[in-house]
Amino acid sequence: MNASSISHRTARIAAVLVPLAIAATPLASLAAGLPTMEDPSRGAGSGIMQTLQNYGYDIVLLVALLVVASMFIGVCYHAYTRYAEIHTGRATWGQFGLTVAVGAILLVVGIWLLTKATGVL
């Protein structure tokens, strides 16, 4: 036998034994440093269905936060483009002020509506 065939045979044996050794390791020792899962904001609930509903509520709140954040980014982008148009002469300061005011009103109304919508849950 040459050294090449011995190293291939060793690699094959290791390929079989390493997954077996990992599978034989107690799972508790692998997860020892992981944090525990937190309860939802409304609490753990009295059963699995109520706990899932509470997690669903948190997910809906997160989506509502993302909607408001995207609205804010959209208003900022539109105000910035209006500001850039002032310097090229295609818009006036009055149009910029109107853009900012309407955007602020839309944000307030959007936040209010999403707050009311999450209150329904």
Side-chain angles (χ1 to χ4, degrees):
M1 295 186 112
N2 58 20
S4 175
S5 67
I6 293 174
S7 66
H8 287 295
R9 183 175 297 170
T10 307
R12 284 186 198 159
I13 293 172
V16 170
L17 290 181
V18 168
L20 289 176
I22 291 174
T25 310
L27 293 178
S29 67
L30 292 176
L34 295 176
T36 59
M37 190 167 176
E38 290 186 28
D39 289 335
S41 62
R42 288 183 167 180
S46 60
I48 187 73
M49 286 305 294
Q50 190 175 16
T51 303
L52 288 175
Q53 287 173 345
N54 292 344
Y55 277 119
Y57 176 78
D58 287 348
I59 291 169
V60 168
L61 283 180
L62 178 64
V63 170
L65 179 66
L66 292 174
V67 167
V68 170
S70 65
M71 286 173 57
F72 181 76
I73 290 171
V75 167
C76 289
Y77 176 76
H78 187 65
Y80 177 76
T81 56
R82 184 65 67 174
Y83 178 76
E85 288 175 354
I86 291 171
H87 295 292
T88 60
R90 292 188 287 163
T92 62
W93 282 103
Q95 290 172 331
F96 173 73
L98 184 64
T99 298
V100 171
V102 169
I105 291 170
L106 285 174
L107 282 173
V108 168
V109 169
I111 291 169
W112 179 75
L113 285 173
L114 286 171
T115 303
K116 288 293 183 185
T118 55
V120 172
L121 298 174

